[in-house]
Amino acid sequence: MRKITIAIDGYSSTGKSTVARQLADWLDYVYVDSGAMYRAVTLYALRKGFISEEKFDRNALVEALPGIALEFRKNKNGKAEIYLNNENVEEHIRTLEVSEFVSPIATVPEVRRKLVKLQHAMGEGKGVVMDGRDIGTVVFPNAELKIFMNASAEVRANRRYIELRDRGADISYEEVLDNVNERDHIDTHREDSPLRKATDAIEIDNTETNIEDQFHTILQLAKDRI
Ligand code: C5P
């Protein structure tokens, strides 16, 4: 069976990573959560004080980029987790604080260039499912299957709110909704690699469907191309 590249893009909290992970498991493909990479760079920038509510020192971040090493390693359950300079930061990158600063960080062309290069290396020559914002448009424009996921902002914010609350975060639904809307705005309006549907992507809206039904639809689309 030939191995294909599957690109899954879309707005925040549309369930991209859930579907992408399931597909990769089912097809025995590599799964790459490109958002985790932007989040890890953001965590680094926050820890170094390059970005805060008051300031964003882009030059300092760009200069520090060669010192940022990112990789995914599988945990004992086979789930890929992200490492920043050899530290497992999987939990640290999922906070609302990182979510608040990640979109400005993702506007920086030097950051994008570094991460796209890594993403190419991770997906090269093998079956890969990668999810993000620019996978079908910039990272793998020749992907055999491109999916663009969407859902209403309220449904997406509610899903993310439940996820964060279950992990013990002290936040309100309104804070999460604001964050989802703000990230979508920055992601769709930035100059470098804005979030948009590739012309040959298949759009899937899951405002009213559950992730399980959606998984089977996308799996069938993948099988049709293998
Ligand atoms: O997918 P996730 O919500 O974790 O992504 C976090 C943020 O990283 C996005 O809101 C976006 O700003 C950025 N991102 C990006 N390009 C990608 C993946 C994520 O700009 N391919």
Side-chain angles (χ1 to χ4, degrees):
M1 250 195 310
R2 76 173 182 138
K3 298 248 183 194
I4 63 168
T5 297
I6 303 176
I8 304 189
D9 289 303
Y11 294 94
S12 332
S13 308
T14 41
K16 298 185 296 293
S17 48
T18 307
V19 167
R21 198 185 296 276
Q22 272 180 306
L23 268 179
D25 281 351
W26 207 97
L27 296 167
D28 198 18
Y29 277 19
V30 175
Y31 165 59
V32 180
D33 173 358
S34 69
M37 301 168 77
Y38 288 92
R39 287 173 177 272
V41 172
T42 305
L43 180 68
Y44 182 92
L46 280 164
R47 284 177 172 175
K48 292 281 183 195
F50 297 155
I51 193 164
S52 66
E53 294 291 351
E54 290 76 39
K55 61 157 193 170
F56 180 13
D57 190 344
R58 286 168 170 256
N59 293 339
L61 173 62
V62 170
E63 268 171 38
L65 282 176
I68 301 180
L70 300 177
E71 61 178 317
F72 288 96
R73 293 184 203 158
K74 286 197 171 174
N75 69 13
K76 56 181 188 315
N77 301 320
K79 181 177 174 268
E81 295 182 327
I82 190 151
Y83 283 70
L84 165 64
N85 293 336
N86 275 321
E87 175 195 352
N88 183 336
V89 291
E90 188 63 33
E91 287 295 312
H92 304 287
I93 61 165
R94 309 284 169 196
T95 62
L96 191 60
E97 190 192 20
V98 170
S99 298
E100 274 168 9
F101 291 102
V102 64
S103 288
I105 295 280
T107 62
V108 179
E110 290 86 350
V111 170
R112 303 204 69 84
R113 240 173 281 145
K114 178 181 171 101
L115 299 195
V116 169
K117 202 167 162 200
L118 284 171
Q119 289 152 10
H120 281 157
M122 288 170 179
E124 208 183 26
K126 50 197 167 200
V128 63
V129 186
M130 194 174 293
D131 77 306
R133 303 294 187 289
D134 61 342
I135 311 304
T137 51
V138 174
V139 183
F140 294 122
N142 297 324
E144 287 84 354
L145 176 60
K146 297 181 187 177
I147 302 290
F148 189 85
M149 289 180 58
N150 203 353
S152 78
E154 289 73 20
V155 164
R156 294 188 283 121
N158 199 45
R159 285 184 194 143
R160 182 53 65 101
Y161 169 64
I162 290 168
E163 197 183 301
L164 286 165
R165 207 196 43 194
D166 287 353
R167 272 196 270 123
D170 178 21
I171 34 133
S172 67
Y173 164 76
E174 286 71 26
E175 279 176 289
V176 179
L177 179 62
D178 283 352
N179 174 254
V180 161
N181 282 328
E182 194 180 335
R183 275 202 287 147
D184 289 345
H185 182 83
I186 300 175
D187 293 345
T188 46
H189 288 81
R190 68 180 172 227
E191 211 162 296
D192 189 340
S193 321
L195 166 65
R196 60 181 170 79
K197 177 181 166 294
T199 46
D200 52 347
I202 298 164
E203 183 156 1
I204 293 193
D205 189 296
N206 61 26
T207 306
E208 281 167 16
T209 44
N210 66 42
I211 305 278
E212 196 52 33
D213 291 345
Q214 202 154 60
F215 167 67
H216 290 292
T217 307
I218 301 174
L219 179 61
Q220 192 53 52
L221 290 167
K223 284 181 179 169
D224 294 344
R225 286 157 177 80
I226 290 173

